[in-house]
Amino acid sequence: MHSNLFNESLHFRACLLTLLCSALSGCVGIPPDQESVVVTRAQMQMGTLVKITAVARSESVAQAAATAAFTEIRRLEELLSTWIPTSELSRVNASAGIMPVHVSPETLTVVQRAVQAAEMTDGGFNIAIGPAVDAWSVMESQRIPTESELDALRPLVDLQAVHVDVREQTIYLGKAGMRIDVGGIGKGYAADQAVDALRKAGAIAGVVALSGDIKTFGRLPGGKMFPVGIQHPRNYGSVLAWIDLENEAISTAGDYERFFEREGVRYHHILDPRTLQPARSCQSVTVIAREGIWADGLDTGIFVMGAELGMQLVEALPDVEAVIVDHEGHVHVSSGLRDRIRKP
Ligand code: ADP
Ligand code: MG
């Protein structure tokens, strides 16, 4: 029994922030120059390792800012976790087919953006996927659901039956048995909100990383941007490419952390909403956007769309870039990133 919020493996995408922290090592809690202090802290939240780096004019402000950011993530976890029976989303799910549930602006925002992400990714992203995610329980049961089992769930994976009433501030799932799962977008949103908390608490720069969902603001003391490594989807621990970020979010969806293998076939946690089988067209999708909510929502949706259609979408969106590793291991880089990424 585990209590992961977003059903995340503890095999976090270590690479992304471990590498960032190594860039910062030697300055944790120590003034790196006359003007600023860098504090880095980590704890388990939302079922994953959360690392927060705060840059401020004094150690006490940096510590307070990091604390405020962790507190904000905990608050969102209590709204959005489907592992917490009293959370707003759990109440929405428990009321499926019965009645609308009044929710906070935060929950409403996540679900609204998720519906928009579904439209943008041609249904690749679909938060109504909950019953299928449960049927697979990739990390818990490691069993392959039968086709008839999945067929029975298919009518429940119906985004048209997710009713968001902005005026009443309610969410209603129209069919009994439906369940929404924000595991594919909620950590990106939490990173955005935690960065706002850092800023409001007086930090002048910082990074919030919920495993592979990372949001940066400002620059390192000394003026350098925050370096982030993109994990290679097949060579565990090795970096595919480096990118420097400033006031941007980066998020990776991959088939290499939460999976099991049976007779040479890899079964992982990103499902194609049409087949309800693990999506097969990519190994990993990394998206860079201004906001974490878009980076996270789009990485999962593009993973389902595949490299060709996914890259077309990225090229059409302003301020969105991507590195896509397709199912054969070929690496596709969006035009706006070609001059920005560095090979290790
Ligand atoms: P991670 O959780 O590893 O950061 P993702 O952002 O790709 O990676 O989210 C994967 C999670 O999203 C799954 O664990 C599941 O809860 C949910 N999910 C799976 N398939 C889909 C899908 N097609 N659309 C929306 N959410 C999905
Ligand atoms: Mg995602």
Side-chain angles (χ1 to χ4, degrees):
M1 174 74 200
H2 70 89
S3 59
N4 288 353
L5 163 60
F6 292 119
N7 207 4
E8 169 83 0
S9 156
L10 300 187
H11 259 194
F12 50 88
R13 263 155 294 205
C15 170
L16 283 162
L17 209 38
T18 311
L19 295 167
L20 170 61
C21 286
S22 64
L24 291 169
S25 63
C27 56
V28 175
I30 301 165
D33 58 34
Q34 304 255 298
E35 315 228 306
S36 47
V37 177
V38 181
V39 163
T40 298
R41 277 162 47 193
Q43 54 177 265
M44 294 300 295
Q45 288 184 315
M46 292 193 167
T48 197
L49 188 73
V50 179
K51 286 192 183 178
I52 293 180
T53 298
V55 183
R57 296 284 177 223
S58 71
E59 163 118 27
S60 61
V61 172
Q63 292 288 4
T67 300
F70 282 121
T71 304
E72 175 63 6
I73 296 170
R74 184 73 66 210
R75 189 180 73 83
L76 294 173
E77 183 170 14
E78 278 160 17
L79 297 176
L80 300 173
S81 171
T82 49
W83 295 89
I84 299 175
T86 52
S87 77
E88 287 188 344
L89 267 197
S90 292
R91 288 194 292 112
V92 168
N93 287 341
S95 303
I98 303 170
M99 60 180 181
V101 173
H102 190 268
V103 295
S104 60
E106 292 85 349
T107 300
L108 207 67
T109 297
V110 174
V111 173
Q112 275 182 301
R113 296 284 184 278
V115 170
Q116 286 173 284
E119 286 161 7
M120 289 159 85
T121 59
D122 199 19
F125 190 72
N126 186 337
I127 53 165
I129 199 85
V133 171
D134 290 349
W136 280 93
S137 293
V138 167
M139 293 315 285
E140 297 83 24
S141 66
Q142 308 216 335
R143 63 175 273 280
I144 301 167
T146 62
E147 269 307 319
S148 62
E149 208 178 328
L150 294 175
D151 282 344
L153 298 176
R154 200 159 276 117
L156 301 175
V157 183
D158 179 4
L159 205 62
Q160 303 308 316
V162 176
H163 303 285
V164 180
D165 187 328
V166 179
R167 216 163 55 91
E168 296 294 322
Q169 230 177 288
T170 59
I171 301 172
Y172 174 54
L173 308 182
K175 299 177 190 172
M178 282 183 77
R179 277 194 297 283
I180 49 179
D181 170 350
V182 299
I185 192 167
K187 291 199 295 297
Y189 178 67
D192 290 337
Q193 295 287 106
V195 158
D196 281 350
L198 279 180
R199 197 184 274 122
K200 282 186 191 136
I204 51 176
V207 184
V208 174
L210 294 91
S211 183
D213 297 302
I214 299 175
K215 174 80 179 277
T216 68
F217 92 97
R219 290 188 173 213
L220 280 162
K224 286 207 170 125
M225 292 161 81
F226 288 101
V228 177
I230 298 171
Q231 158 88 50
H232 192 294
R234 289 293 176 270
N235 304 338
Y236 186 75
S238 82
V239 176
L240 190 67
W242 286 94
I243 174 105
D244 295 325
L245 301 180
E246 179 181 9
N247 301 327
E248 284 173 304
I250 185 167
S251 189
T252 298
D255 69 359
Y256 52 89
E257 282 180 337
R258 297 192 54 226
F259 71 95
F260 64 92
E261 273 177 343
R262 198 66 47 79
E263 289 164 17
V265 179
R266 178 181 293 239
Y267 297 92
H268 64 89
H269 72 314
I270 300 168
L271 303 178
D272 184 328
R274 295 173 191 88
T275 61
L276 306 186
Q277 296 285 335
R280 294 280 168 223
S281 39
C282 297
Q283 295 177 359
S284 78
V285 174
T286 298
V287 173
I288 294 171
R290 289 270 152 214
E291 291 179 85
I293 198 167
W294 289 122
D296 195 9
L298 289 171
D299 68 2
T300 313
I302 290 172
F303 192 105
V304 174
M305 292 175 93
E308 197 179 327
L309 289 175
M311 203 50 96
Q312 277 175 25
L313 171 65
V314 169
E315 296 292 357
L317 292 171
D319 294 331
V320 175
E321 302 295 340
V323 176
I324 302 178
V325 183
D326 68 22
H327 66 289
E328 291 175 317
H330 297 130
V331 181
H332 307 251
V333 179
S334 64
S335 53
L337 270 194
R338 284 179 205 139
D339 294 336
R340 287 182 60 191
I341 58 168
R342 287 174 279 124
K343 296 268 166 59

